[in-house]
Amino acid sequence: MKEKTNLIKRVLLVFFLIFIFIFQILPIRSSSQIIGLDKIIHFIFYFVLMFLFSVNNFSLKRAFFYSFLYGILMEIVQIPVPTRSCSFYDLLANLGGILTFLIIKTI
C-alpha cells in the first residue's frame, strides 16, 4: 500500500510540473490580465510545488533548489513565446511561494 501511495505522490509531482510548464508557455491575452494576478498564480504554483516535493520526501534544501531552478527555467522558456516574457518579478513571486512554504514547514 505504501508503494502505491508513493507512486501516486510521484505522479502528482510530475503532472504538476507538466501543468506549470503548459500554463507558462500558453500565450495570454493582454485584455484578460488582471494586474498582479499572474504574480499570485506564480506564488501559489511554487508553494504547491514545494509541498509536492516535500510529500515526496525531498529534503527542504533539495526541494528549494529544484523549485527555484524550475522557476528560472520556466522564465527562460517563456522568452520566445508571444505575449510572454522572462520576468524578474515572476521569479520573485516564485521565490515568495517557495520561502512561504519553507517558513510554514519549519514553524
Side-chain angles (χ1 to χ4, degrees):
M1 185 67 161
K2 185 176 179 175
E3 293 159 4
K4 186 176 181 178
T5 303
N6 287 337
L7 177 63
I8 291 170
K9 289 189 285 188
R10 295 275 181 195
V11 168
L12 281 172
L13 175 60
V14 170
F15 275 123
F16 194 69
L17 288 166
I18 293 168
F19 173 76
I20 291 173
F21 175 77
I22 291 170
F23 187 83
Q24 290 193 272
I25 63 166
L26 289 175
I28 54 173
R29 293 187 198 122
S30 60
S31 63
S32 66
Q33 290 182 357
I34 298 172
I35 296 174
L37 179 61
D38 64 324
K39 306 306 179 253
I40 294 168
I41 291 170
H42 278 267
F43 180 94
I44 292 168
F45 279 179
Y46 285 85
F47 182 91
V48 172
L49 185 58
M50 281 293 291
F51 170 77
L52 290 173
F53 276 125
S54 177
V55 298
N56 276 286
N57 299 318
F58 283 75
S59 70
L60 292 179
K61 190 180 290 187
R62 183 173 272 181
F64 172 85
F65 175 76
Y66 289 148
S67 295
F68 193 62
L69 179 64
Y70 192 70
I72 291 169
L73 293 173
M74 289 301 94
E75 289 305 311
I76 292 169
V77 165
Q78 290 182 53
I79 292 171
V81 177
T83 72
R84 293 283 190 167
S85 63
C86 181
S87 168
F88 176 72
Y89 295 109
D90 287 349
L91 282 175
L92 286 179
N94 298 348
L95 186 59
I98 291 167
L99 293 176
T100 300
F101 178 84
L102 288 174
I103 291 167
I104 292 170
K105 180 76 174 175
T106 56
I107 289 179

